[in-house]
Amino acid sequence: MNVDTGITFEIFTIKSETRLIDIFNEIIDKKSQAVFNYVESLMIESNAKIIVIGTYFTGVGIVKKLSEKYTNILLIDIYPHLKELLDTAIGGDVKNSVDFSSDLDLIYTGDVVIDTTGFGGINVEMSSKIDVDTFIIEDPTAEDNDKLLKNKNNIHERLEVVHAKNKRILKTKGINSKTSGTMTLTIGILINVLNSCLKRDGVLYSACEMGFFEEVIFKEHDIEKFIQLVDKPALKVSTIDLFSCDKFICEEINKINSDLNEA
């Protein structure tokens, strides 16, 4: 257990062994494993052309997981600097090589296309030009508990116009979050854990080491800085009674599930 003394020797600061990047990767793995299992069930050749649209963070996790078996994978994103995520620990490691491009015209060249772009991503018109064997789209909403977000979600319109023999929806939920984004789910986990810790006798307060890191990625374009920021304990607790705060994090992560549903 990672423990320091606090303001006095009677108060302790507990630091979680779980880092922020660990939470990201647990969530990403649930999504990417669900996609991998489905693609594997299709019995396609290992060199079939698989295109994943959108890197952050579901996309990079999916291509890394698929690279364990498949050899012809292309990751497409309008932000060229996100290619750097392939060389980080986000989503695991690349086994077979993965190509990267910012050319959206290439989304029509695959046998399997996986769209993780969510809100404001690939639109209906672009979707109507997709003609593939298999099309998978990530549902950006989680529990459908926000009316405005639900009305903004256009994945069903996109699915309707795509030409594909197999169509599936990647659905991730479990902690009553508003969206299925990795950042949203991570914040949801941490909020729930903070509340659980505060309910314990002897806890003065707790805090998570989470900032608004999307600005680092999309405004500063600094992937190295982002990795440094998330490579630290996710939670710190001030308490007079020692306990494992990692247990609470694990319990919240275990509530999240990802499935491939029929479109």
Side-chain angles (χ1 to χ4, degrees):
M1 186 180 295
N2 190 351
V3 182
D4 287 332
T5 53
I7 300 171
T8 71
F9 287 108
E10 294 183 0
I11 301 172
F12 304 98
T13 300
I14 304 171
K15 302 175 184 178
S16 68
E17 300 291 341
T18 306
R19 303 166 299 166
L20 288 169
I21 193 172
D22 297 326
I23 299 178
F24 294 157
N25 282 341
E26 289 282 355
I27 296 167
I28 293 168
D29 186 64
K30 289 174 184 284
K31 298 180 180 184
S32 59
Q33 189 64 56
V35 171
F36 181 89
N37 291 344
Y38 175 69
V39 172
E40 192 174 36
S41 75
L42 298 174
M43 304 296 289
I44 65 174
E45 297 293 329
S46 62
N47 65 345
K49 185 66 173 292
I50 301 176
I51 292 176
V52 178
I53 316 167
T55 304
Y56 173 82
F57 280 133
T58 305
V60 73
I62 289 174
V63 298
K64 288 182 175 183
K65 177 64 70 174
L66 289 173
S67 75
E68 295 177 7
K69 180 174 181 178
Y70 301 96
T71 60
N72 191 7
I73 302 172
L74 173 63
L75 178 60
I76 297 177
D77 201 291
I78 62 172
Y79 296 101
H81 73 286
L82 293 188
K83 179 182 180 181
E84 296 175 40
L85 287 171
L86 289 169
D87 299 319
T88 70
I90 295 290
D93 299 319
V94 175
K95 300 299 191 295
N96 292 304
S97 63
V98 173
D99 293 324
F100 182 94
S101 177
S102 291
D103 184 356
L104 290 179
D105 287 336
L106 294 177
I107 68 176
Y108 310 113
T109 62
D111 301 306
V112 177
V113 170
I114 304 169
D115 180 0
T116 73
T117 57
F119 298 116
I122 300 301
N123 59 35
V124 175
E125 182 181 358
M126 296 174 71
S127 299
S128 68
K129 301 175 185 177
I130 295 175
D131 189 350
V132 292
D133 181 77
T134 300
F135 180 76
I136 300 170
I137 192 166
E138 181 176 25
D139 189 343
T141 65
E143 314 287 348
D144 294 329
N145 53 13
D146 185 297
K147 183 178 179 180
L148 289 180
L149 291 174
K150 185 176 181 179
N151 290 338
K152 181 71 172 178
N153 186 12
N154 71 346
I155 66 160
H156 294 288
E157 287 86 349
R158 284 146 75 177
L159 276 165
E160 187 176 344
V161 297
V162 165
H163 304 281
K165 180 175 67 175
N166 305 303
K167 297 182 183 182
R168 290 294 187 275
I169 300 172
L170 174 61
K171 185 75 172 179
T172 306
K173 58 183 181 179
I175 58 170
N176 199 35
S177 60
K178 288 190 174 186
T179 81
S180 62
T182 301
M183 279 293 188
T184 303
L185 290 168
T186 298
I187 290 291
I189 286 171
L190 293 172
I191 289 172
N192 292 347
V193 169
L194 289 174
N195 289 331
S196 295
C197 288
L198 194 58
K199 292 175 182 177
R200 280 186 62 95
D201 289 342
V203 172
L204 284 70
Y205 67 92
S206 56
C208 59
E209 297 295 319
M210 188 76 187
F212 201 78
F213 296 148
E214 288 187 4
E215 290 184 338
V216 178
I217 296 174
F218 292 102
K219 301 300 181 183
E220 300 178 34
H221 291 191
D222 195 335
I223 301 300
E224 182 178 356
K225 178 181 177 181
F226 169 75
I227 296 299
Q228 292 173 351
L229 287 169
V230 300
D231 188 23
K232 61 178 61 177
L235 185 72
K236 294 180 181 179
V237 183
S238 179
T239 179
I240 62 172
D241 181 43
L242 295 178
F243 66 97
S244 173
C245 56
D246 290 278
K247 172 186 173 183
F248 292 104
I249 297 174
C250 185
E251 287 174 352
E252 291 301 315
I253 290 173
N254 287 340
K255 293 177 184 177
I256 296 173
N257 60 84
S258 281
D259 295 297
L260 266 293
N261 301 327
E262 290 191 18

